């Protein structure tokens, strides 16, 4: 097998799957990135690599390397970059090194919205139409707004952050620009009623395969299913744009299981340069886990005191 490094931009068109989280040429500095290319008989693979300090990150989101091919990639990186201690990958079909198992959803999109909704049960189709009518009856006329992420109003992202805090307890503490840059958001879809914003979808549409970055909604309107309504209309819109696939990542949220989605097993893993580095890092992980368990058993006043002390140090 031939294994060699190449300029990432020169082979970017060969990256498969073509989704933003594999397109390091679009998301990272070119000085930090390159491609490991594998070739054997009629087989060719291009693996994007980004070096971050002593760690190499692989662009293998739903990538189909075999364990043998993964071994060649990691050995090539360790040989070429002596300062790299570990190689990490996420959401890959390949289980290699020290890995954890996850689930992942994706949808192979049909040619039109009618075919998309035919994948729902008759009850599912009825419920969406019913929810749209009830939303209009109680909140007035509604519509969907679409923005290029950079052009979306600042207030819209503030609303998004407030919704995520209300629904999931997440406090991002980020600006609009910081969020867009970190999560590669390209488009924003908003379900607007006469009384305000009902739901928001953020997506990454820079590549042929769309990635649904996040979906949130006004918690006070939950019984109207505004998130599901917007998700339905968002899928219709990207089909109109000619998109054929969308990745939804993993989890247990019910909306990810609809519209003929495919649930698969994937792996997040790390490959260490040697067993000494592996032993040291895994021991540290074990100690942090035990410390967290011990902290959870502490009386409430101890936890409160500790959190106040940590807060005063920041």
């Amino acid at each position: 097998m031939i294994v060699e490094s190449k300029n990432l931009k020169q082979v970017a068109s060969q990256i498969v799957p073509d989704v933003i989280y594999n397109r390091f040429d679009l998301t990272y500095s070119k000085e930090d990135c390159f491609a490991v290319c594998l070739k054997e008989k009629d087989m060719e693979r291009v693996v994007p690599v980004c070096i971050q300090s002593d760690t190499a990150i692989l662009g293998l989101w739903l990538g189909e390397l075999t364990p043998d091919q993964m071994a060649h990639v990691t050995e090539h990186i360790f040989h070429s970059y002596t300062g790299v201690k570990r190689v990490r990958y996420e959401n890959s079909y390949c289980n290699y090194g020290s890995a954890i198992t996850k689930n992942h959803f994706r949808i192979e999109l049909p040619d039109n919205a009618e075919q998309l909704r035919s994948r729902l049960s008759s009850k599912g189709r009825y419920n969406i139409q019913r929810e749209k009518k009830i939303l209009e009856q109680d909140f007035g006329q509604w519509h969907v707004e679409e923005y290029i992420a950079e052009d979306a109003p600042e207030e819209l992202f503030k609303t998004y952050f407030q919704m995520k805090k209300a629904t999931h307890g997440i406090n991002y503490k980020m600006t609009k620009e910081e969020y867009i840059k970190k999560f590669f958001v390209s488009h924003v879809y908003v379900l607007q009623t006469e009384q305000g914003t009902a739901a928001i979808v953020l997506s990454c549409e820079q590549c042929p395969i769309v990635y649904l970055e996040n979906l949130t909604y006004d918690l006070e309107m939950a019984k109207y299913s505004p998130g599901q309504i917007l998700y339905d209309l968002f899928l219709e819109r990207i089909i109109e744009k000619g998109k054929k696939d969308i990745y939804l990542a993993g989890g247990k949220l019910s909306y990810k299981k609809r519209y003929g989605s495919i649930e698969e097993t994937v792996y997040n893993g790390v490959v260490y340069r040697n067993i000494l580095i592996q032993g040291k890092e895994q021991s540290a992980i074990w100690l942090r886990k035990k410390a967290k368990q011990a902290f959870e058993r502490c009386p409430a006043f101890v936890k409160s005191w500790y959190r106040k002390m940590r807060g005063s140090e920041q």
Side-chain angles (χ1 to χ4, degrees), residues 100-111:
I100 59 172
T101 303
K102 297 177 58 181
N103 69 327
H104 185 282
F105 295 97
R106 63 184 176 89
I107 301 175
E108 297 176 353
L109 297 169
D111 295 331

Side-chain angles (χ1 to χ4, degrees), residues 22-63:
N22 289 340
R23 290 295 303 276
F24 290 179
D25 57 308
L26 301 179
T27 56
Y28 292 109
S29 168
K30 64 180 181 181
E31 290 79 14
D32 301 327
C33 299
F34 62 99
V36 174
C37 300
L38 306 175
K39 187 172 183 179
E40 184 178 35
K41 296 180 180 179
D42 58 349
M43 181 281 297
E44 291 189 34
R45 294 283 188 277
V46 172
V47 181
V49 183
C50 180
I51 304 296
Q52 296 184 338
S53 184
D54 57 2
T55 302
I57 310 296
L58 305 184
L60 280 178
W61 199 291
L62 297 199

Side-chain angles (χ1 to χ4, degrees), residues 106-172:
R106 63 184 176 89
I107 301 175
E108 297 176 353
L109 297 169
D111 295 331
N112 55 59
E114 182 180 357
Q115 292 175 354
L116 176 75
R117 296 187 180 112
S118 71
R119 296 176 177 180
L120 298 173
S121 66
S122 57
K123 182 179 180 181
R125 293 192 295 273
Y126 169 79
N127 284 342
I128 286 183
Q129 292 305 316
R130 177 175 175 272
E131 288 156 355
K132 290 176 181 178
K133 291 178 181 178
I134 294 176
L135 184 68
E136 183 172 339
Q137 290 172 5
D138 290 3
F139 293 91
Q141 291 289 323
W142 56 263
H143 65 280
V144 175
E145 297 174 355
E146 178 183 347
Y147 299 93
I148 300 298
E150 290 81 359
D151 299 333
E154 292 280 349
E155 284 301 316
L156 184 57
F157 270 81
K158 290 180 181 179
T159 300
Y160 167 77
F161 293 141
Q162 292 167 357
M163 287 180 174
K164 291 300 291 186
K165 187 174 182 179
T167 58
H168 291 82
I170 301 174
N171 189 353
Y172 284 104

Side-chain angles (χ1 to χ4, degrees), residues 7-19 22-23 25-26 35 45-46 48 208:
N7 181 289
L8 183 57
K9 284 194 177 294
Q10 292 179 355
V11 295
S13 62
Q14 300 175 48
I15 295 173
V16 178
D18 193 350
V19 65
N22 289 340
R23 290 295 303 276
D25 57 308
L26 301 179
R45 294 283 188 277
V46 172

Side-chain angles (χ1 to χ4, degrees), residues 146-157 175-181 183-190 201-206 213 241:
E146 178 183 347
Y147 299 93
I148 300 298
E150 290 81 359
D151 299 333
E154 292 280 349
E155 284 301 316
L156 184 57
F157 270 81
T175 64
K176 164 193 163 181
E177 290 74 18
E178 289 170 339
Y179 191 98
I180 290 172
K181 182 178 180 180
F183 298 107
F184 316 128
V185 178
S186 68
H187 288 72
V188 181
Y189 299 82
V190 188
V201 161
L202 307 181
S203 64
C204 308
E205 301 178 25
Q206 301 92 330
E213 201 290 310
K241 293 180 179 181

Side-chain angles (χ1 to χ4, degrees), residues 47-308:
V47 181
V49 183
C50 180
I51 304 296
Q52 296 184 338
S53 184
D54 57 2
T55 302
I57 310 296
L58 305 184
L60 280 178
W61 199 291
L62 297 199
E64 296 192 31
L65 289 190
T66 66
D68 180 63
Q69 291 167 349
M70 183 73 94
H72 279 87
V73 170
T74 55
E75 288 169 7
H76 178 79
I77 292 171
F78 288 137
H79 177 76
S80 303
Y81 293 84
T82 56
V84 169
K85 295 181 179 180
R86 67 195 69 78
V87 177
R88 296 188 183 277
Y89 61 90
E90 291 188 349
N91 294 293
S92 172
Y93 290 133
C94 182
N95 179 1
Y96 188 75
S98 299
I100 59 172
T101 303
K102 297 177 58 181
N103 69 327
H104 185 282
F105 295 97
R106 63 184 176 89
I107 301 175
E108 297 176 353
L109 297 169
D111 295 331
N112 55 59
E114 182 180 357
Q115 292 175 354
L116 176 75
R117 296 187 180 112
S118 71
R119 296 176 177 180
L120 298 173
S121 66
S122 57
K123 182 179 180 181
R125 293 192 295 273
Y126 169 79
N127 284 342
I128 286 183
Q129 292 305 316
R130 177 175 175 272
E131 288 156 355
K132 290 176 181 178
K133 291 178 181 178
I134 294 176
L135 184 68
E136 183 172 339
Q137 290 172 5
D138 290 3
F139 293 91
Q141 291 289 323
W142 56 263
H143 65 280
V144 175
E145 297 174 355
E146 178 183 347
Y147 299 93
I148 300 298
E150 290 81 359
D151 299 333
E154 292 280 349
E155 284 301 316
L156 184 57
F157 270 81
K158 290 180 181 179
T159 300
Y160 167 77
F161 293 141
Q162 292 167 357
M163 287 180 174
K164 291 300 291 186
K165 187 174 182 179
T167 58
H168 291 82
I170 301 174
N171 189 353
Y172 284 104
K173 296 182 179 179
M174 301 171 74
T175 64
K176 164 193 163 181
E177 290 74 18
E178 289 170 339
Y179 191 98
I180 290 172
K181 182 178 180 180
K182 181 174 181 179
F183 298 107
F184 316 128
V185 178
S186 68
H187 288 72
V188 181
Y189 299 82
V190 188
L191 180 62
Q192 289 284 15
T193 72
E194 292 179 4
Q195 299 184 34
T197 300
I200 299 172
V201 161
L202 307 181
S203 64
C204 308
E205 301 178 25
Q206 301 92 330
C207 305
I209 299 173
V210 176
Y211 179 73
L212 177 61
E213 201 290 310
N214 225 316
L215 182 159
T216 192
Y217 57 91
D218 185 339
L219 191 59
E220 295 183 359
M221 299 174 66
K223 69 177 183 178
Y224 298 91
S225 301
Q228 176 58 46
I229 292 173
L230 182 56
Y231 180 58
D232 176 82
L233 297 169
F234 160 71
L235 293 179
E236 179 178 354
R237 177 63 181 132
I238 62 174
I239 288 172
E240 291 173 353
K241 293 180 179 181
K243 301 296 186 179
K244 297 299 182 182
D245 298 273
I246 180 169
Y247 289 178
L248 308 173
K252 299 180 180 179
L253 295 174
S254 60
Y255 79 87
K256 295 186 179 185
K257 301 177 182 181
R258 298 171 182 155
Y259 299 99
S261 73
I262 301 166
E263 183 177 12
E264 299 173 302
T265 298
V266 294
Y267 302 93
N268 286 4
V270 56
V271 183
Y272 296 97
R273 175 176 287 274
N274 55 53
I275 60 173
L276 293 177
I277 295 174
Q278 179 176 355
K280 181 179 178 180
E281 295 199 358
Q282 291 187 339
S283 294
I285 293 171
W286 182 86
L287 288 172
R288 286 196 296 269
K289 181 180 179 181
K290 291 298 180 183
K292 183 178 180 180
Q293 291 173 347
F295 178 75
E296 292 302 322
R297 292 194 294 267
C298 289
F301 76 91
V302 174
K303 295 179 183 178
S304 177
W305 172 82
Y306 175 78
R307 292 185 178 116
K308 287 180 181 178

